[in-house]
Amino acid sequence: MNIDELKNVWNEEVSEETPEISIEQRNKISLPLEKVRKNMRMEFWSIIAIFVFSFIVCAFCQPFKLQFYITVLIASMLLVTIFFFSKFFRLYNDISNPMLKTYDSLKDLVAQFNLNKQYYLSYYLSFVPFIVCEMIIVIEFIPWPEPISEVKAAVILISSVTVGLFALYLMGQFWFNRYYGRYIVHIEDLLKELKK
């Protein structure tokens, strides 16, 4: 068998295994994908606005040592955000690709959504060390009416981290389900319809 025959056999097998998605089904898929893209753009611009606002507020902090610590903390948060948003940007590009013509390509997109859900929750949980640092800065630089004991400082720190971790997890779950989850479920339902 020569190369051309192998290519023909391969193309026939691939075309039989990957059924094409009809135009009507593509139209059903495009609406939730457009909603996801819109929400991703909105979230991107809101995160930029939050960081710009944070750096502006930081510029007015006094004394210099406090300003320096907060600037380093916000810059570190920005680096973590850039890392995770680079992952989300790849998904955004894949969603923007109009080549969702086969069942396998749609199945791959759903797998990417599920992977990005894990990234999304990891993104929110990655802010736990920043909460710890913020609480240390607050404890050290806020003038207290009377000096606080080491035990009280430890209780404040541990309780803040515990509450912060729980709140970040819940916020990440809520945000993802509100802005992305329901559309992903819709796409998964369409995928199940195609499988039948």
Side-chain angles (χ1 to χ4, degrees), residues 113-128:
F113 277 133
N114 290 326
L115 178 64
N116 274 277
K117 180 180 181 180
Q118 300 308 315
Y119 284 144
Y120 205 82
L121 294 175
S122 299
Y123 170 67
Y124 276 94
L125 293 178
S126 68
F127 281 91
V128 170

Side-chain angles (χ1 to χ4, degrees), residues 71-90:
T71 303
V72 168
L73 192 63
I74 293 172
S76 301
M77 292 167 81
L78 181 62
L79 289 175
V80 169
T81 301
I82 288 170
F83 170 76
F84 279 102
F85 269 79
S86 68
K87 303 285 185 194
F88 302 144
F89 187 70
R90 275 194 227 134

Side-chain angles (χ1 to χ4, degrees), residues 14-90:
V14 169
S15 65
E16 289 172 8
E17 293 175 6
T18 57
E20 287 210 9
I21 297 172
S22 70
I23 294 173
E24 179 185 316
Q25 291 165 331
R26 266 189 255 164
N27 290 337
K28 284 183 183 177
I29 293 168
S30 67
L31 180 63
L33 289 180
E34 184 54 40
K35 294 278 190 184
V36 168
R37 280 193 295 263
K38 180 183 173 193
N39 289 338
M40 289 177 94
R41 284 190 302 268
M42 180 267 310
E43 187 170 13
F44 175 75
W45 290 113
S46 62
I47 291 291
I48 286 178
I50 288 169
F51 275 107
V52 167
F53 177 75
S54 299
F55 280 116
I56 289 171
V57 168
C58 184
F60 295 105
C61 290
Q62 292 297 327
F64 175 75
K65 196 173 184 182
L66 175 63
Q67 182 183 23
F68 177 72
Y69 289 159
I70 292 176
T71 303
V72 168
L73 192 63
I74 293 172
S76 301
M77 292 167 81
L78 181 62
L79 289 175
V80 169
T81 301
I82 288 170
F83 170 76
F84 279 102
F85 269 79
S86 68
K87 303 285 185 194
F88 302 144
F89 187 70
R90 275 194 227 134

Side-chain angles (χ1 to χ4, degrees), residues 171-189:
M171 190 171 109
Q173 282 282 79
F174 169 77
W175 192 269
F176 186 84
N177 289 331
R178 170 102 168 92
Y179 290 99
Y180 305 109
R182 58 185 170 169
Y183 303 115
I184 294 170
V185 168
H186 184 70
I187 294 167
E188 287 173 340
D189 290 343

